[in-house]
Amino acid sequence: MPADRERFSTATRLKALGEHAAARVYRVRTKRRRGRLTGRAALLALVVCSLVVALAYPMRQYISQRSDIAEQRREAQRAREDVKKLREQKARLRDPAYTEQQARERLHFLKPGETGFSVADGSGSAEHTIDQGAAHRPWYTNLWDAVDAADTPGAGSARR
């Protein structure tokens, strides 16, 4: 009977119930932690997401400004090259021989005692051809035709 007594004693029952309850609680805790986020991980994810959102616009502005700075530097370099070319041209224009050469080529100037000639090359370009019907039309029609002819591509390229 002492074995039966120990088998049904309150202490033994509580001990068995306690072990059984502890095992159940342990199982529940291990299952819960595997599938759920801990509070620290959720807080870390929240902080990372808020940092990404907070820094997205300033980073975009930074990248945009860097590209603008690069474009401004390229433009400044082009301006420096233009200034260099203009200074070279200014130096050339101070030379009397260069000025004389340009006057002869572009303006068809001649020195005293020289004879100038204009040679028609016979190509029939719009600059050298004469419209035979222009004499029978009103003056304003001829004027408008001349404006149209000057406006067409290729007509201005024949002249220099």
Side-chain angles (χ1 to χ4, degrees):
M1 187 103 152
D4 285 337
R5 193 174 205 197
E6 201 172 296
R7 184 174 162 201
F8 294 110
S9 73
T10 307
T12 307
R13 278 192 215 157
L14 285 174
K15 186 179 177 184
L17 281 173
E19 289 173 358
H20 180 64
R24 230 183 323 163
V25 168
Y26 179 72
R27 273 187 265 136
V28 170
R29 278 189 177 171
T30 57
K31 287 181 184 176
R32 188 180 333 143
R33 282 198 176 169
R34 286 185 200 148
R36 296 181 80 187
L37 233 64
T38 63
R40 288 180 184 171
L43 183 63
L44 180 64
L46 180 67
V47 168
V48 168
C49 288
S50 62
L51 282 175
V52 166
V53 169
L55 294 177
Y57 183 73
M59 285 302 294
R60 193 177 99 209
Q61 289 295 324
Y62 174 75
I63 292 169
S64 173
Q65 289 174 357
R66 295 295 294 177
S67 65
D68 289 345
I69 289 170
E71 179 62 32
Q72 292 292 327
R73 285 183 178 158
R74 285 191 294 271
E75 191 173 317
Q77 181 62 32
R78 276 186 253 131
R80 280 191 289 272
E81 290 171 1
D82 289 345
V83 167
K84 182 179 176 183
K85 288 178 186 175
L86 289 172
R87 284 185 179 152
E88 290 173 0
Q89 184 178 6
K90 182 180 174 184
R92 277 193 311 243
L93 288 173
R94 287 184 180 167
D95 182 20
Y98 179 77
T99 307
E100 181 182 335
Q101 175 195 4
Q102 292 299 312
R104 285 175 169 271
E105 286 179 10
R106 294 183 181 194
L107 304 175
H108 305 289
F109 280 12
L110 300 173
K111 287 186 174 183
E114 291 182 342
T115 306
F117 294 98
S118 294
V119 178
D121 59 354
S123 65
S125 67
E127 185 175 317
H128 297 294
T129 58
I130 299 172
D131 187 7
Q132 297 298 328
H136 303 292
R137 290 185 295 195
W139 66 270
Y140 50 84
T141 307
N142 294 336
L143 176 67
W144 194 250
D145 289 343
V147 168
D148 284 341
D151 195 33
T152 57
S157 64
R159 239 185 261 188
R160 187 133 216 277

